[in-house]
Amino acid sequence: MRAEAREAFLKVLDAGLGNASSMHGSGRRARSVIDEAREQVAGALGVLEDDIVFTSGGTESDNLALFGAIGAGPTGMGLVTTRLEHAAVLEPAERLESQGVPVTYVGNNAAGSVDLEEIASLASSGPTLVSVMAANNEIGSTTDLVRLRELLGSRRAVVLHTDAVQLLGKKPVKDALEAADLATLSAHKVGGPVGVGILVRRSSVPLRPILLGGSQEAEIRPGTENVAAIAAAALAIDLAVRETDAFNTRTRELSRELWARLQAAVPDVQLNGPALDDETRLNNTLNVSFPRVGDARMLVTKLDLAGLEVSAGSACASGSLEPSHVLQALGHDVKRATSGLRISLGRTSNEDELCTAVDTLRITLGEAS
Ligand code: PLP
């Protein structure tokens, strides 16, 4: 958590607030903290306050978008999505398919760009939920949602959901949110606390709740709110949006330098995903394979012992034995998909750390200097 968010979190805890649904004073004070947080998030994202649904994280928001939109949609509504999505979209998609919902996966190229025309053509066949991620967590490819919206037109029969968890704070997010009917965000990706997500939901989009209980969050997401975490999340999101351009520019320079240093240190290193000079890529996410490394998870453990924290695949799937589904969807063989290593740059990353990281990699891989 970034320091400002931590401070906001503790301030709310120390205020000794009650349950935000209670009528008494400490309940009303808790409610007003949530109201202010909603206003802050809506202002930062350029959406209406009524469009903000607080959830427990990106996973819940993705599940709510898919099950909620299909559940409230007309009979026969289909789902069009991609093979590059996070498991929080792919697994609900599989569940929906097993329940008889027609699910289609659109193609993508070797750099991770999905075929927008194909999506539009598939969606024209009838009521459809389209779920396409705004930015990929493993390789940093992005989707032009404004263009996709243009292609889809304003037909009411198509609901456009995007998982924008990785876009937030790394690239401007407002146009993507404007283009989408439903958008998933997660606070812990931008220095907020874990356990707070947002589903931005245009009020005209019918959504069936996936949890049943109280009437919180406009009866879309019942459950007593985590007030301190919501306040901290709102501040972190606000700051991340304000700092996006600076983050993007700084990580562009750093990632280019990291790649140049990596190539110099380990000449047969392979880049997975979009090219380094692709201006649409997330600059903080670099996915590389080392042909002589069989399984990146072994390398991750060795690097961790040497003080370098990186990931194989997505953090959520890194305990699994499967090769990265994203690298496989790019068309890479199992060997390359298993040896993919994800190096992420954060707000505090700097040039010195890059040098140390590349040295650590070179030594761990046993390369001569
Ligand atoms: N979607 C994407 C693209 C992610 O990267 C993640 C988390 O890594 C999630 C969804 C899940 O978000 P959360 O960890 O808040 O449940």
Side-chain angles (χ1 to χ4, degrees), residues 57-60 62 86 88 133 135 137 163 165-166 186 188-189 316:
T59 300
E60 187 188 330
D62 280 341
H86 190 273
M133 68 201 314
N137 48 312
D163 178 331
V165 165
Q166 295 289 340
S186 176
H188 74 95
K189 301 295 178 188
C316 323

